[in-house]
Amino acid sequence: MSATAIKIDDPNVFHLEEEPHHEEGSSTMLGFWLYLMSDCLIFAMLFAVFGVVGGNYAAGPGPKELFDLELVAVNTAMLLFSSITYGFAMLAMDKNKTRQTLIWLAVTGLFGLAFLGIELYEFAHLIHEGATPQRSAFLSAFFTLVGTHGLHVTFGIIWLVTLMVQVSWKGLIPANKRRLMCLSMFWHFLDVIWIGVFTFVYLLGMVR
Amino acid sequence: MSADKNDHSPESHDTDHLGHEGHNHGSFKSYLIGFVLSVILTAIPFWLVMTGVLPTQATALIVMAFAVVQIVVHMIYFLHMNSKSEGGWTMLALIFTIIVVVIALSGSLWVMYHLNTNMMPSTHDMSQMSS
């Protein structure tokens, strides 16, 4: 819109004469952050459910009989390691080192897989002992909350592999950097959620 | 820092690549600080609960306090939250989310706790229910 198109005596002009130029994808990060915040609300609801019915064992097993804190500690370490290795991938990306970025992403993925493996082992162990989601309200809430987090990690790993393929094909182009930054936020966000899970579900479950 | 300059006028830096638009990715040092702090803030609660050196109530309070601190550490060192990124909109969204989460969590727990205690069936009702 050129300035000459606007009449000087026209009192009602509600737009700028020249729209500021926005780079492609310049609002992606903010949009993704807003998605994460809405995801945060989903987890908040699941935490609320667990907080309300987490003590209803229906005469079934409680946290003290079920949880193995050493396993949870190992799991927490896996997720924490994956967080810092993803950080290293981002640092390598900043220096435009494609190969190094890919290696760190692969390490992150392996830690993520280890986390998932341990979690699935724990779930299988619980179900084997008869502590199924149907057993009590506590177990329903537990499996929903921890399972939703695990599902997020699963999708995060799928996303990670997808991006590794993309980066190895096209290199660290701006679009790929943007995608890696989004996944970075997603991945660290999942670690934040896990802090809540191991604190409120496992640790406080043991001292309840 | 170019990231800070960008926040108020992102369109003025057309040549700057996307990676620096209101986002800094931290440095090796900041990631390491965050990691070490997280390890400490994770290890102490686990140790407290596993050994049970403190009374239950004190353990629970310390564990919750450490979780809150660790979440803040993650936000700052891993998610690189600050009041300036994206012109302050990420922080605003975060504050809004925290308010909603606090209302939802405290509200649910409060209401449901009272519902539980006020509507707790007597032992007579319980025996009827289980039969």
Side-chain angles (χ1 to χ4, degrees), chain A residues 16-89:
Chain A
L16 295 176
E17 291 177 18
E18 281 194 43
E19 285 291 323
H21 171 68
H22 287 290
E23 257 179 286
E24 187 201 339
S26 64
S27 55
T28 306
M29 304 310 291
L30 178 59
F32 195 76
W33 179 255
L34 293 181
Y35 153 69
L36 285 182
M37 290 299 100
S38 65
D39 218 13
C40 200
L41 295 182
I42 293 178
F43 279 107
M45 294 308 115
L46 293 177
F47 273 112
V49 169
F50 187 84
V52 169
V53 300
N56 302 2
Y57 307 134
K64 278 177 188 156
E65 293 96 69
L66 293 175
F67 296 154
D68 178 5
L69 272 193
E70 279 161 31
L71 205 63
V72 180
V74 172
N75 231 356
T76 306
M78 290 300 133
L79 216 52
L80 203 52
F81 277 126
S82 81
S83 250
I84 191 166
T85 53
Y86 201 106
F88 291 156

Side-chain angles (χ1 to χ4, degrees), chain B residues 18-102:
Chain B
L18 284 167
H20 284 279
E21 198 155 274
H23 274 265
N24 60 332
H25 303 145
S27 59
F28 181 76
K29 202 179 145 196
S30 75
Y31 274 113
L32 216 57
I33 292 171
F35 180 72
V36 170
L37 281 177
S38 296
V39 168
I40 296 168
L41 289 167
T42 306
I44 293 175
F46 268 94
W47 176 75
L48 278 177
V49 173
M50 280 164 139
T51 55
V53 284
L54 289 173
T56 307
Q57 191 123 40
T59 308
L61 283 176
I62 293 173
V63 164
M64 279 194 275
F66 271 65
V68 172
V69 175
Q70 200 185 344
I71 287 173
V72 174
V73 165
H74 272 245
M75 287 278 177
I76 293 171
Y77 289 103
F78 290 158
L79 280 165
H80 312 301
M81 279 298 295
N82 59 55
S83 55
K84 292 201 183 69
S85 64
E86 303 282 357
W89 286 106
T90 49
M91 186 55 93
L92 205 65
L94 178 68
I95 291 169
F96 175 70
T97 309
I98 290 172
I99 292 171
V100 173
V101 166
V102 167

Side-chain angles (χ1 to χ4, degrees), chain A residues 83-195:
Chain A
S83 250
I84 191 166
T85 53
Y86 201 106
F88 291 156
M90 296 301 284
L91 294 177
M93 184 195 85
D94 272 355
K95 290 174 192 154
N96 284 314
K97 289 179 176 166
T98 310
R99 206 181 133 72
Q100 215 178 328
T101 309
L102 283 173
I103 291 171
W104 282 120
L105 285 178
V107 174
T108 308
L110 288 178
F111 276 124
L113 277 179
F115 172 85
L116 268 187
I118 295 170
E119 191 165 284
L120 286 176
Y121 165 78
E122 190 199 12
F123 279 9
H125 181 70
L126 289 180
I127 289 167
H128 181 73
E129 285 194 340
T132 58
Q134 300 98 307
R135 181 63 191 83
S136 63
F138 153 66
L139 282 166
S140 305
F142 166 80
F143 275 102
T144 313
L145 174 56
V146 183
T148 305
H149 178 269
L151 210 59
H152 275 75
V153 177
T154 311
F155 282 111
I157 292 172
I158 295 171
W159 190 3
L160 187 95
V161 173
T162 314
L163 282 188
M164 282 175 69
V165 172
Q166 290 223 23
V167 169
S168 58
W169 277 356
K170 305 224 166 140
L172 289 169
I173 55 173
N176 276 343
K177 284 192 173 181
R178 199 166 64 229
R179 290 162 190 152
L180 282 171
M181 266 152 40
C182 283
L183 180 58
S184 165
M185 286 158 78
F186 186 73
W187 200 261
H188 293 309
F189 168 76
L190 288 184
D191 208 3
V192 171
I193 297 294
W194 183 253
I195 297 170

